[in-house]
Structures are given as C-alpha cells and as structure tokens.
Amino acid sequence: MAASTDTLERESKLQGLGSSRLRKEDARFIRGRGTYVDDIKLPGMLFGAMVRSPYAHARIKSIDKSKALAVPGVVAVLTADDLKPVKLHWMPTLGGDVQAVLADKKVCFQMQEVAMVIAGDRYSAADGAELVEVDYEELPAIVDPHKSMTPDAPIIREDIADKDNVGHGPRTHPNHIFTWEAGDKAGVDATFAGAEVTVREEILNPRVHPCPLETCGCVASFDKPTGQLTVYLTSQAPHLVRTVVAMLSGIPESKIRIVGGDIGGGFGNKVPVYPGYVVAIVASIVTGVPIKWIESRIDNISTTGFARDYHGVGELAADKDGRIKALRFTALADHGAFNSHVSATKLPAGLFSICTGSYAIPKAYARVDAVYTNKAPGGVAYRCSLRVTEAVYLIERMIDVLAQKLGLDKAEIRRRNFVKAEQFPYTTALGWTLDSGNYHGALDKVLKAVDYDGLRKEQAEKRARGELMGIGISTFTEIVGAGPTKVCDILGIGLFDSCDIRVNPTGSAIARLGTMSQGQGHATTYAQIIATELGLSSDEIQIEEGDTDKAPYGAGTWGSRSTPVGGAAAAMAARKIRAKAQKIAAHLLEVGEGDLEWEVDRFKVKGNPSQAKTMKDIAMAAHTSNLPDGMEKGLDATEYYDPPNMTFPFGAYVCVVDIDRHTGEPKVRRFYALDDCGTRINPMIIEGQIHGGLTEAFAVAFGQAIPFDENGNHLGNSLMDYFLPTAVETPHWETDHTVTPSPHHPIGAKGVAESPHVGGIPCFSNAVVDAFAHLGVTHMDMPHTSYRVWQQCKALGLNER
Amino acid sequence: MATKQAVSFKLNGKAVDVVVEPRELLIHTLRERLQHTGPHIGCETTHCGACTVDLDGMSVKSCTVLTVQCQDSEMLTIEGFEQGGALHALQESFHEQHGLQCGFCTPGMITRAYRLLKENPNPSEEEIRYWMAGNLCRCTGYQNIVKAVQHAAKKLAAAAA
Amino acid sequence: MIPREFEYHAPKSVQDALGLLAQLGDEAKLLAGGHSLLPMMKMRFAQPGHLIDLGRIAELKGIREENGTIRVGAMTTENELIWSKLLQDKCPLLVEGARLISDPQVRYKGTIGGDISHGDPGNDHPALMLALGASFVLRSAAGERVVPADGFFVGTYDTLMKPDEIMTEIRIPVPAPGTGYCYAKLKRKVGDFATAAAAVTLRIRGGAVQDVAIALTNVGPTPLKARAAEDSLRGKPLSDASIVAAAGLAMNICDPAADQRGDAEYKTAMAGEMTQRALHTARERAGR
C-alpha cells in the first residue's frame, strides 16, 4: 500500500535518516563563535612554550635555565628533572611503548620536547624559550629505516635497549620494535613457486602529516582545594585521554574532566596523547593555575602525529588470465623514535591485513617489521583506519602492475578478481569477513559514467602524438568501525562506543555519545538517526559529545568509527526507548503490545489507525502516574554498543590526468568517485566528506611528504613546503553512489569519510603511472610533484622537444 | 622593554583603544585583548588565512600585521557580520551550501569572500578559486565554498535589485 | 613565532623617515608591506631594534604616467598594480607578474618597492623590472639617485641600495605599442616562490626581433638577465628553433640552489622551459 501523503509529510518533518538536513553546528561557526581550545581563557592562566632540540640525536649534557628565568613574566622552566619527582617524565604511548615527556638525558629526534617555559603570556614565554641554554653532544642519527637494524647501527632507545619485548612480541635488535605477520606463509610461498605469472614492486607510502588547520593544544586547570583536574584539549578521543591521564597522574578518573570543545579538524592528528598536554597538566598541578599550551604549525608538522612511512614490497602470483592466486605484502615501518603508533593492542600493524582488497584471493601472507629511527614518533591514521591506506595502496597499485605485465585492461583485471555480490559475507584469506558489497555493479556504473572506452581511445590517440594522459582506477574496500572488543582494544579498553538518550516530557531529547566530532557534523547526523528511530523531530534532539563529565564512555572519533559504532549505539539506545514506548502506548490505548504497529512518529492500533499515540504523547505519559504497573518513570536509555564485525565501505573511482612532459606538471582533468557506504544518513554531509577526503588524497598523492636530510634535520616543515592545496590546485570532484547496506549494523550504515582518502590516493597514483605505462613504467613513488614526474619524463627522454 | 603604544581603531563599527608593545601581532590583540576569537591562528606563517580580517578595505592576514600599524583604521571581523539579528548573505550561504565542516577556516573564508564580492559582485568559479586562494581549508575541498560564495553573490544581487 | 622586542616608528613623510634612518643607523629596518620581514622576525631570523613603517607616507603611493615613463610609488601594493587601468593598458607585463605573486591577502599588503629592495632572488618583481628596463629612485638625506634595475641586484638579499636610503619610486619606460610580453612562472602552488620563472618583453619589426629582454627568477643568487639569449635573438626572425637555442643560452647562466622545489638540474631546465614559453607567448602578443 502506498504511504499516505500524511505519513510522508510527517516523515519529512522529522528530517531523519536520508535527509540532507542542514547542519546544526554551523550556527556558531559562521558567527565566529566556536570554542576551540585556544579560545579558552581562564583567570590567572599562564602560557607554556616548548624548548625543542635542534638535533635529531644527541646527549643532553646540561640545561641552564637562568637566563630564561630572568625574563620578565617567566614563572618557571620545566625539564625532565622537574617531572621526575612526580614520575611524569615518561608516559605510556598508545602503541605499547613509553615516550619521553621531556627529553631525559638524550634527544632522539629533531624538535623533540626538551623543556617548557611557563610565563604570563605567549610573548614572554617565547622570549624565555629562546634563552634556555641546552648543551648537546651530537650523536650519529638513523634516518633511513633500512639502516636501523644493521649490526653497527647506533642504539636510539637506550632506555629499553635490554628489553626483549616492547609490547608486541620478541625483538631482534635494539632498534627493532616488532614483527607482525598474518596468513599462510608456506602456502603462499608454494603458490608463488608454481605460479604462471608473478609480479613484484617496491612501493613507498611516504611520511606525511594530517595537518588539520587547527594545531594541537590544551588548557590544563588543576584546582588544588578540590583536587579536580579539568583539561580542555584537542582530542578525538577524550575518554581514552582521561584514562591515560588517570593512569599517569594517579588522580582518580572521577576527578579528571576532559573537554573536547570544538576541534578544528583532526584527521588522526588528535588521537594520541602528546608531551605538551602532559607538561601543561604537570605545570598546572605544580603552579596551581591554569596552563595553556598551543603548538605552532611547524611544531605540529615536525612532532605530533605523522602518518605512514611504510616501505612496502608487493607481490602477486596469478594465472595467465590474470586471476590472482596468492598475495605476499611486506612492509618496513618507520615508527620514529618512540612507538606511539596508534593501534589496537592485538593489531600492532593496525588493519594492514585488509590488503587483499576487493578481490577473492585464495592465499595471502602479510608481514610488517617496525623499527626505530631518529624521527618524530607517531604513525597515526591520517583520515583512514589504522594502516588501511597503506594496505589499500599496495593492492590497488599491484593489481595495476599485474594487469600491465599481462597486457590486460586495468578495469577487466579487477572484474576477473572481484569478490562477487553473491559471495558476501566473504571471509578473506587474512581472516576478515567482508559484510556486503557489489563491486562489479559499482565499477560498471562508473566506467559507463566516464565513458571509459572513449577515454582509452583518446589516450591511444594522445600516446601516438607523444602526449601523456593517464587513466587511474581504484576499486577499494575499506575496513572501518573499530571495533569488536574481542579483536580491538587500546590499553585494554575495548573499542565499543556509547549513546545515552533522555527524552523530555514534551518530546524533545538529548543524546550524549562517546565519540567526538571534528567537523563531521555529528550533532546533525546522530539526531537524524534518533529522529527516525523515535519519530521525534531531529531539530528537537540535542547531541552532546566530548565532555567526559557528561558523555558516556567511548573510544572517540577516528577510523570512521562514529557511524559504525557510535551511530549504532544511538540507534540501539533509541530502540530501547521505543520498546518501552510501545508498552506505554499499549497501556494508554488499552490494547496488547502486539496489536500496535509503528508508523513514522506513533504507535497505532492495527486496523484502527485513528487509535494512536505519538511519541510525544508517550513522552509526556512516561513522566506521569499513568504507566503500566511496575514500570519505571522516564523515557531514557543507554547503549554500549560492541559491534559484531567491522564494516566494509567500498567504492569505484576513476581519475584522468594529463602530464606536461616538459615541466612534469600533472593536471587532474577529471575525478569521478562512486562511494557505497551502505545506508546514507545525510547525503549532503556525505558529499562534503567525500570532497574533503578526495582533496586530502590529492594532497598526499601530489605533494605531501616530510623530508629529512641525512642527519635527521627537517627540510620542509612549514606550510611553505608542506602541501596543503588551495582552491586553485584542487580539482573539481564528481560524486556518485550505490547503496549496499551493512547486514550487521542496526541501520545498515558503514561510515564514509575515510573512503575517499583511502581509495583516492591509489587512484591518483594509478593515473600518473598509467600515463607512462605504455613506456614500460610500472610504478612511481609519491608524491607526484612536478619535479619528480619530470625526472621520470627525463629518464624516458620525454622532456626533450 | 620596548615602549608601549596606544592604538585606536574601529572594530566592527565600535571605537577601540589598546596599549600594546610594538611587536604585538594584530591577531593576538583581537583574540587576547579584545575577545574577538573568531579569527583563528592556523599557521603563523601567512599561508593559511584563518586569521583573515578586513582592514581598511583590504583582506589581510592578521598574523602578519602589527597592531601598531592599525592606528585610525577600520576593521571588520566575522563578529561584525551579523547586523540587527540578521545574518549576512555569506553566513547564510556557507550554511545552506555546506561550505564548512570543522569551522576553523570559516571566519577567515567568509571575511575574505566579503571583500571579494565587494570588488567583484558576480565572480565566476575560476575567479572565486583564484581570489580565495589565500585561505586554506582542510575539510571541504573548496567545492561547496565556491558554491556558497556564488550563492551569496546571487542573494546580494537580489537584495540590491 | 613571536618577534623579539623592537621600537616602532611611523613617519608621515619621506623626509621624516630619512631622518629616523640616519638617527637609528644599522639598528633600523624599513617596514613596507611586511610580508617578507615580519615572518623573518617571527622566526627570529631578523631582529631589528627599530622598525620604520613606510605605510603612512602618502607620497610613496600611486601609479602615473609622465613623459613616456610610468612612475610607480614604492609603497604601491600588488593588488593596486593588478587593478591599475594604466598598467593594464600600457604595461600589462607588470599586471601579469603581480597576479602570480603569493596570494590575494599578501597582495593587499605586499608592495612593489618592498619586493624589489628585499633582494630575494625568489621575488618576482626584480626579473620583471629587468625585462622592462626599469630604474629605481633611491633617496637619502644626501639626495636622490636613480639606478637602473640592470646591475641593482648584487647578491642574495644584497642590492645597490645603501642602509641610509629609501626606495621611493620605480620608473618604467612605457613599452612601445605592440611590445609582446609574458611572465611565465612555474610554482608548486599558490603562495609559493617560483621554481623558475622568465619575464620577457619583445618587439618585432619587419619580421625580425627589434628588441628583446629576458630575465629569470629564482635560478641564481640574484635575478638574472639572460644577455646571451637576448643577443642571439636580436635582429633575426624569431623561430621555434631560435627560441630553443635562446632558452639553452638562458640555462647556461643559471646557478640555482637545490631545495624542495627541485635540484639544480630541474630548476635550470625549468628556467629554459619558462623562457621558451614566455618567448612563444610574447611572440603571439607582439605586434608585427
């Protein structure tokens, strides 16, 4: 039966699931009334400025604070020796290691935190920081991770030199962190030995930085009389930060309040706990006044939360028709001087084992060796789940390499290897169960939309004229929504998430979640999920996150986990409320629960639709005496959602790039992105997330890298060199979608914001390499700057006129 | 200590007097002394444009302007856009076209777009991209920002007609 | 990213500024648009004891034509150059060059005089000035002198300007009608300095090159005037082959420093490529 106009009208008024509802967050941002951490100003607040090491590896012989302390306005200078009495000179990392809060006897990377100057304002703090005199004895530095484990390599981490394990299994060298492997090595080796065709390529994911527009920072405020610590902090995971701070400081978690506030972008940069936060907290405890620490952009790129630095080797074995029989991917992971890689405890290489991609590959083996170097610590997931970009980049590049070897079309080879729609749920050779997909359908839709055959024809004509045009394809599968607590924990805490909903008597509601928006629009989209579940207008549903005193515990927003985990918690909490509401409605209508059916915003009596109670009626009733016998008052529910599986968004992208062979400039002429994120909550926001993710992918593919010289000195750590594209460089994006709901998620949603980044990067690289494919080029490492592409042109003699 | 100087200017139509060290950067005066925290600090090296304010008819990056340079000037920041409870067309358009996500670049973007539309009331997409290229955004990929500026241009033209 | 302390002065006239300069000596720096100096001060690479702000001196502003010469006040901003009807009509090379400088906000503050007198080989106006045959008016308490752009740039951050002098005006001979021109600039992104750039002015009469000027940005310690390349083209018809040859001669004088934009080989090659492109475009734009 067709829905009545009335029903449709009521449904559209809710602005629930599927509506391109405008964002609730915007009201404050367009007025300049956001509350970012640097906007926080507390009475008596002092300002901390970090003194950082000019060397990548050096012993600290002495630190002289006297000149700094003489600067008017300077209150204190803190060094490791000052933190030692409270045992806060070292801290645990999210990777199972420890990290120096302030350098303890030696520095292990350039710009490492050595001292913090506390002063009345940022001007005197800066003056003081310049005058802290540190006497260093420089040591040889390791920059190339391939040299970390040579017999004569200098030992970077003397503090753990004699430990045979730093959290993830046996170590074989003082600069070795862990070796992780997955899959059937012997079986894979045997398949490779007997394979008709094999391909191998060395593929680098360079060291990059998420570089949100707001840097990291905090305001720590310890109230001595009450022992209460409040920290306003740029964190994507405030609850985890609270736990770490409690473990570190010994302050009961109940007396610590972390407030996320508004966050000016995160992209993974704001997951870890950084030394600056800890020193600010200690300084506040010591001085009894609030301390603000805000990093500069150069500090940000140099020291907090780099990503990638995976030196990979990809190998595929296949038959003559291009059907992949086995995969062997390895990576040497440069984790810098401390292993503060954000990873689940049991997954030191993150979700790298998603590297079988969208393909039915019978046998697979993956291995990651992580080492220390004299570079900044990190290894955050830059707009991706943990190590997923690295994995997807390898498989999406390698399938192109295989196609080239066999002379097969790059779309055709994908079709031959895709997991078929009828095979889902599909368990990969490395153990992940892909929940749902329609890979053939997505690729076919995209190829048709861009006239793929026409593009290939144009390319052939251009090649005949000596012009360089590349067509890149990426048919990626992401893994997001960490995750099932049996697989995923950080510091022992399972990666569930939570939602607490309270419905008010007049039918409005407030929901609090353990996630933390950094621009994703949670206040808008979570309300839509709840609106549809409860039949209440999303405009009357308030969303709160990020204040640990208010929100239920959750692991935060990273790894596209908000919709898969937080969104699921919201739906499930709402369903608890609806179940209670149904009982109340049955009581009010004097019928059995089974006689009722739900319609948009009300329970109605089957066969007698005029007999109905709206959720608003029920909300009021829930606060009266007229309830079923024994029923608690109120209409509230809390859900701690432990997902049964990850979700697996996918997509098919095509990129067309023209290359100027005389300058090396690559120009993205067209980019068509089809994403399937399952059920779509807010199409407008999804499209915005895809635009942003593609732009960050573009930045990584075409310009981002953190370069060092052989002594470990930074060669480009300001926005002069670090590539953040402007509106001029950024291409125009075309977006499209299919909808293949997740079968295990309460509303079938999968998460979307990272897909364009993860799937976009290989698409760009595939396009650039494809431009040279007819000349025998099988791989070019990122970033594809004009300079680097020109070098490829030159090697082929293409730059000459 | 260097001699502090008294500086007077108009901020969003109101007279303001501050006494600052010569080295004080305008962005700090606005944010720390005058509680105008709409303009943000994103890079401190004149690249990102998050600190953009309108100074005597120019879009400037207030991290690279000394407050002492602003004597007798007229300044507009994001806080001055809403007039009598009514949003400016640019504020409405950024909201309606989903031209913002984390919101950190937004005050600078809107302030820059304001001056652009004063100078070119009907810019093409290419002109918007060129004349807005001093403002970085990490979230939106600029596509909806372009749409928002065009949308605002139409609104302003309609209002003027 | 906070500058050290300094004293600030805002004279209202060139005379007052010169007086301050004489009085404060080496301790003082002139502040024009500030978009090179202030970032260096914030990094504490530069730490003048005194800043003399030229921003309030009205006589340093403006663009006008006088007896076949365009006179641009040194404190004229990039956007004022871009929007100048006079320059659009009579000296479009300067407009094209200014449009490629940094970003919109910087162009509101950045000045032509500041860009030239900073002596940074990465700045764009020096090569434009060389290609336009400009000269600079330098004033000190002792008087005024006019020096040609050609020879003004001595080394990196080093020019003929003396510490007691202020650049007051840029003088550009109005290019003859039909002069072809182009500023071809390769950069990584908006806001970046050139990887390499070439400024060209070109006059063609009777099928032959009557005059040509070629100047290069950011491929040596100073902007470079590509004399041999110019000489190779003068008096002859301009052909694709002669353009390639001229670009080769231009490349011979390049001595760029390697950085994230590329190594010396790439930058030199790009100087050649930009020279070719600028010559091709100038040829298209030149009257016959």
Side-chain angles (χ1 to χ4, degrees):
Chain A
M1 198 180 78
S4 69
T5 333
D6 164 64
T7 319
L8 287 173
E9 207 168 280
R10 278 190 277 128
E11 193 171 338
S12 90
K13 270 191 188 152
L14 298 181
Q15 294 199 71
L17 221 51
S19 135
S20 280
R21 175 185 188 225
L22 296 180
R23 297 197 336 156
K24 296 309 283 180
E25 294 83 346
D26 293 354
R28 61 184 185 276
F29 295 143
I30 56 175
R31 291 170 169 88
R33 289 200 205 138
T35 309
Y36 303 91
V37 68
D38 200 12
D39 302 337
I40 305 280
K41 215 171 168 185
L42 300 177
M45 187 175 81
L46 301 176
F47 204 92
M50 205 63 95
V51 177
R52 296 178 180 277
S53 168
Y55 300 110
H57 199 190
R59 256 177 238 300
I60 296 175
K61 292 162 74 179
S62 65
I63 300 177
D64 184 349
K65 309 173 182 179
S66 54
K67 284 185 184 156
L69 286 168
V71 171
V74 170
V75 172
V77 178
L78 298 177
T79 66
D81 284 344
D82 300 302
L83 306 190
K84 255 175 218 172
V86 283
K87 296 197 176 62
L88 282 170
H89 54 314
W90 288 81
M91 63 177 186
T93 70
L94 298 184
D97 196 357
V98 290
Q99 176 176 354
V101 173
L102 290 173
D104 188 13
K105 299 185 197 70
K106 71 183 273 197
V107 289
C108 298
F109 63 94
Q110 193 186 39
M111 305 283 282
Q112 187 177 339
E113 302 81 2
V114 174
M116 188 185 271
V117 174
I118 310 290
D121 60 46
R122 59 184 97 204
Y123 285 72
S124 43
D127 292 343
E130 194 186 13
L131 293 174
V132 174
E133 292 178 338
V134 186
D135 189 12
Y136 295 98
E137 176 193 338
E138 204 179 349
L139 299 169
I142 302 175
V143 178
D144 178 356
H146 292 96
K147 294 179 181 159
S148 284
M149 299 220 287
T150 57
D152 57 346
I155 296 174
I156 295 172
R157 291 288 301 283
E158 285 157 359
D159 60 302
I160 51 159
D162 56 349
K163 284 198 175 170
D164 57 9
N165 184 322
V166 280
H168 303 291
R171 302 203 301 155
T172 58
H173 186 285
N175 294 333
H176 180 218
I177 306 173
F178 65 79
T179 292
W180 163 91
E181 50 188 343
D184 171 13
K185 183 170 191 303
V188 165
D189 289 349
T191 307
F192 265 86
E196 290 174 352
V197 185
T198 64
V199 284
R200 178 185 187 279
E201 206 69 59
E202 292 180 14
I203 290 174
L204 173 66
N205 273 280
R207 178 172 277 239
V208 293
H209 195 282
C211 209
L213 203 55
E214 178 201 38
T215 61
C216 299
C218 70
V219 177
S221 177
F222 184 71
D223 184 52
K224 277 192 175 170
T226 60
Q228 171 80 33
L229 174 68
T230 304
V231 192
Y232 302 86
L233 184 103
T234 48
S235 178
Q236 299 176 225
H239 299 273
L240 289 179
V241 170
R242 190 184 70 188
T243 302
V244 171
V245 171
M247 286 171 164
L248 261 171
S249 65
I251 300 171
E253 214 166 336
S254 55
K255 291 209 162 195
I256 302 170
R257 176 178 170 217
I258 307 290
V259 184
D262 287 322
I263 295 195
F267 316 120
N269 183 211
K270 292 167 181 170
V271 176
V273 176
Y274 293 122
Y277 303 155
V278 177
V279 186
I281 289 168
V282 177
S284 181
I285 293 171
V286 171
T287 59
V289 296
I291 306 288
K292 177 183 278 191
W293 168 73
I294 306 288
E295 57 175 11
S296 75
R297 173 59 57 194
I298 290 171
D299 294 352
N300 176 251
I301 295 175
S302 308
T303 67
T304 51
F306 83 87
R308 320 274 151 79
D309 221 341
Y310 254 38
H311 302 243
V313 177
E315 292 177 278
L316 294 177
D319 66 18
K320 291 197 302 287
D321 297 326
R323 288 187 173 81
I324 302 168
K325 300 296 175 193
L327 168 155
R328 184 162 56 205
F329 285 177
T330 63
L332 177 64
D334 182 343
H335 281 221
F338 305 95
N339 182 27
S340 55
H341 174 222
V342 175
S343 63
T345 308
K346 297 186 192 81
L347 302 167
L351 305 168
F352 186 73
S353 52
I354 194 61
C355 62
T356 51
S358 306
Y359 312 107
I361 300 175
K363 288 191 165 62
Y365 170 71
R367 170 184 168 128
V368 174
D369 296 285
V371 297
Y372 292 118
T373 61
N374 288 112
K375 296 185 210 162
V380 303
Y382 174 4
R383 203 173 184 132
C384 68
S385 285
L386 317 166
R387 301 300 184 184
V388 172
T389 300
E390 291 89 330
V392 170
Y393 191 70
L394 266 169
I395 182 63
E396 285 303 307
R397 279 270 52 247
M398 285 311 297
I399 197 160
D400 269 21
V401 174
L402 179 63
Q404 278 179 234
K405 173 109 174 187
L406 291 165
L408 274 175
D409 179 79
K410 287 165 181 168
E412 177 55 26
I413 196 165
R414 287 175 162 81
R415 282 198 199 95
R416 288 186 193 178
N417 287 286
F418 277 149
V419 175
K420 297 184 183 72
E422 61 272 22
Q423 286 176 284
F424 290 94
Y426 175 86
T427 299
T428 70
L430 293 176
W432 294 109
T433 299
L434 311 183
D435 55 352
S436 65
N438 181 358
Y439 302 153
H440 286 92
L443 179 60
D444 289 347
K445 192 174 180 200
V446 170
L447 297 183
K448 193 165 170 232
V450 300
D451 183 20
Y452 181 68
D453 294 339
L455 286 171
R456 285 290 178 203
K457 189 161 162 278
E458 183 195 346
Q459 183 186 41
E461 289 162 8
K462 290 213 158 137
R463 283 176 174 174
R465 294 200 297 267
E467 293 170 35
L468 296 172
M469 166 185 166
I471 303 163
I473 301 175
S474 166
T475 49
F476 62 94
T477 290
E478 251 252 89
I479 172 169
V480 306
T485 57
K486 62 182 185 292
V487 197
C488 302
D489 72 88
I490 286 182
L491 299 171
I493 293 161
L495 299 182
F496 60 85
D497 225 292
S498 58
C499 178
D500 171 60
I501 305 176
R502 297 174 197 182
V503 181
N504 302 316
T506 52
S508 63
I510 185 161
R512 298 187 170 99
L513 296 98
T515 51
M516 178 70 222
S517 182
Q518 315 122 43
Q520 294 91 336
H522 290 173
T524 308
T525 50
Y526 283 147
Q528 290 180 250
I529 295 174
I530 296 166
T532 293
E533 294 291 341
L534 291 184
L536 297 174
S537 165
S538 56
D539 277 343
E540 293 180 19
I541 300 167
Q542 181 80 14
I543 303 295
E544 280 192 5
E545 301 174 292
D547 183 335
T548 57
D549 267 10
K550 296 183 181 173
Y553 204 97
T557 293
W558 46 274
S560 264
R561 60 187 303 286
S562 300
T563 293
V565 194
M572 298 302 278
R575 284 175 195 181
K576 287 178 183 171
I577 288 174
R578 202 165 88 185
K580 181 173 181 181
Q582 186 165 3
K583 289 190 170 68
I584 298 170
H587 169 78
L588 296 174
L589 294 163
E590 296 175 346
V591 295
E593 272 187 72
D595 298 325
L596 294 175
E597 63 184 351
W598 175 255
E599 185 199 78
V600 182
D601 58 356
R602 63 194 61 184
F603 285 104
K604 57 180 191 181
V605 177
K606 289 177 190 165
N608 187 6
S610 63
Q611 285 280 78
K613 287 289 171 193
T614 66
M615 188 59 84
K616 286 213 171 202
D617 300 334
I618 298 166
M620 182 57 80
H623 294 81
T624 65
S625 62
N626 189 12
L627 286 179
D629 282 348
M631 181 181 275
E632 260 185 282
K633 302 282 183 275
L635 201 56
D636 304 346
T638 303
E639 167 78 15
Y640 287 87
Y641 185 78
D642 183 1
N645 189 6
M646 311 287 281
T647 65
F648 299 84
F650 62 94
Y653 294 174
V654 168
C655 172
V656 184
V657 62
D658 297 303
I659 288 169
D660 183 326
R661 62 196 176 96
H662 302 295
T663 61
E665 284 171 288
K667 173 91 185 151
V668 174
R669 186 207 309 175
R670 188 161 190 201
F671 198 102
Y672 194 95
L674 179 149
D675 276 276
D676 191 321
C677 58
T679 302
R680 290 156 61 83
I681 299 165
N682 182 321
M684 176 194 81
I685 287 180
I686 289 172
E687 187 174 69
Q689 292 295 312
I690 290 168
H691 290 171
L694 290 174
T695 304
E696 291 195 342
F698 171 78
V700 168
F702 289 102
Q704 293 188 340
I706 304 180
F708 294 88
D709 71 9
E710 59 193 12
N711 297 315
N713 297 309
H714 277 278
L715 296 176
N717 54 4
S718 79
L719 294 189
M720 172 59 80
D721 286 307
Y722 194 72
F723 181 50
L724 301 188
T726 74
V728 167
E729 292 85 38
T730 304
H732 180 84
W733 310 113
E734 296 170 72
T735 56
D736 196 354
H737 65 276
T738 54
V739 177
T740 312
S742 169
H744 65 75
H745 187 277
I747 61 166
K750 288 187 170 188
V752 73
E754 297 172 352
S755 289
H757 188 78
V758 170
I761 295 171
C763 194
F764 290 117
S765 272
N766 286 351
V768 171
V769 176
D770 188 65
F772 295 93
H774 58 304
L775 302 167
V777 175
T778 53
H779 179 67
M780 293 158 66
D781 272 332
M782 298 182 288
H784 306 298
T785 60
S786 301
Y787 171 39
R788 291 169 57 90
V789 174
W790 180 84
Q791 287 175 312
Q792 181 69 71
C793 293
K794 182 163 177 288
L796 296 166
L798 299 171
N799 60 318
E800 304 295 338
R801 287 205 186 264
Chain B
M1 189 178 281
T3 323
K4 286 196 174 182
Q5 300 195 4
V7 186
S8 304
F9 53 90
K10 259 193 175 170
L11 177 58
N12 300 326
K14 287 189 188 128
V16 164
D17 303 293
V18 292
V19 177
V20 297
E21 275 189 78
R23 65 171 171 167
E24 186 160 306
L25 301 168
L26 176 58
I27 184 67
H28 292 140
T29 304
L30 290 172
R31 291 177 49 82
E32 308 286 335
R33 286 185 200 279
L34 301 170
Q35 282 73 46
H36 280 53
T37 53
H40 296 132
I41 301 171
C43 73
E44 300 170 88
T45 53
T46 333
H47 288 100
C48 79
C51 64
T52 298
V53 303
D54 197 75
L55 177 69
D56 291 334
M58 304 178 288
S59 301
V60 300
K61 298 186 179 179
S62 61
C63 75
T64 310
V65 174
L66 302 169
T67 304
V68 288
Q69 290 178 283
C70 301
Q71 175 65 33
D72 298 331
S73 64
E74 291 209 19
M75 220 177 287
L76 173 70
T77 67
I78 189 67
E79 288 88 349
F81 274 71
E82 190 175 1
Q83 291 291 333
L87 289 174
H88 189 275
L90 275 159
Q91 293 173 306
E92 290 175 348
S93 298
F94 270 68
H95 173 56
E96 289 160 6
Q97 300 299 318
H98 190 27
L100 66 149
Q101 289 180 25
C102 80
F104 200 75
C105 77
T106 310
M109 283 283 179
I110 289 178
T111 307
R112 171 61 200 132
Y114 167 82
R115 185 50 51 190
L116 165 59
L117 292 181
K118 288 271 181 208
E119 290 162 355
N120 181 355
N122 186 23
S124 67
E125 167 162 1
E126 196 186 346
E127 287 170 330
I128 293 170
R129 285 181 181 264
Y130 176 80
W131 287 105
M132 295 287 292
N135 295 71
L136 296 174
C137 171
R138 293 289 289 145
C139 297
T140 66
Y142 304 106
Q143 205 152 309
N144 289 347
I145 289 177
V146 171
K147 274 165 68 182
V149 175
Q150 286 176 322
H151 193 69
K154 285 201 191 89
K155 283 190 185 217
L156 290 167
Chain C
M1 301 301 282
I2 306 277
R4 282 196 194 147
E5 290 183 351
F6 56 83
E7 299 287 348
Y8 173 81
H9 312 269
K12 294 269 170 50
S13 69
V14 174
Q15 183 123 359
D16 289 354
L18 289 170
L20 282 163
L21 206 48
Q23 174 199 330
L24 299 167
D26 287 354
E27 278 279 278
K29 276 253 182 205
L30 298 175
L31 179 66
H35 279 53
S36 297
L37 181 58
L38 291 178
M40 286 175 83
M41 290 169 64
K42 283 160 76 177
M43 305 283 277
R44 303 199 169 193
F45 295 154
Q47 42 230 347
H50 297 265
L51 276 190
I52 302 170
D53 186 355
L54 304 179
R56 296 191 177 269
I57 305 179
E59 58 189 295
L60 292 177
K61 284 250 183 197
I63 306 166
R64 65 188 202 279
E65 185 186 353
E66 235 178 72
N67 304 325
T69 299
I70 295 168
R71 296 171 170 235
V72 183
M75 287 295 287
T76 304
T77 67
E78 305 299 349
N79 276 342
E80 287 166 349
L81 298 178
I82 291 170
W83 293 325
S84 158
K85 187 78 174 58
L86 173 64
L87 294 180
Q88 288 168 8
D89 289 345
K90 300 213 166 161
C91 192
L93 175 62
L94 197 48
V95 176
E96 181 163 281
R99 278 184 64 96
L100 292 167
I101 291 172
S102 198
D103 66 43
Q105 283 93 320
V106 175
R107 291 194 293 263
Y108 280 105
K109 292 294 282 181
T111 63
I112 184 170
D115 186 279
I116 293 168
S117 51
H118 193 45
D120 185 338
N123 284 356
D124 296 286
H125 280 300
L128 295 166
M129 295 300 110
L130 290 173
L132 287 165
S135 52
F136 311 133
V137 180
L138 307 177
R139 208 187 298 172
S140 69
E144 190 174 281
R145 60 180 181 139
V146 181
V147 298
D150 197 355
F152 178 77
F153 303 99
V154 178
T156 303
Y157 303 121
D158 191 10
T159 68
L160 288 183
M161 212 168 122
K162 297 191 187 118
D164 65 346
E165 286 181 317
I166 291 173
M167 182 178 290
T168 56
E169 190 173 89
I170 290 88
R171 293 183 184 169
I172 302 166
V174 175
T179 298
Y181 67 92
C182 179
Y183 190 54
K185 179 177 179 180
L186 179 69
K187 55 181 176 178
R188 296 175 297 180
K189 58 182 174 185
V190 170
D192 195 16
F193 292 105
T195 303
V200 162
T201 55
L202 174 71
R203 252 181 316 215
I204 296 175
R205 284 287 181 284
V209 173
Q210 187 186 38
D211 201 6
V212 61
I214 304 171
L216 307 174
T217 297
N218 218 12
V219 281
T222 65
L224 303 174
K225 187 97 160 54
R227 275 176 239 287
E230 294 168 353
D231 292 344
S232 77
L233 297 172
R234 267 193 210 102
K236 297 169 202 155
L238 192 65
S239 68
D240 289 356
S242 70
I243 287 177
V244 170
L249 292 168
M251 286 164 64
N252 285 345
I253 61 167
C254 293
D255 181 21
D259 58 24
Q260 293 305 304
R261 297 176 186 88
D263 61 8
E265 184 192 24
Y266 178 62
K267 290 181 168 190
T268 303
M270 290 310 100
E273 187 62 30
M274 292 303 112
T275 301
Q276 289 195 37
R277 290 182 187 194
L279 282 167
H280 277 288
T281 303
R283 177 169 64 178
E284 285 163 22
R285 289 169 174 172
R288 304 289 147 183

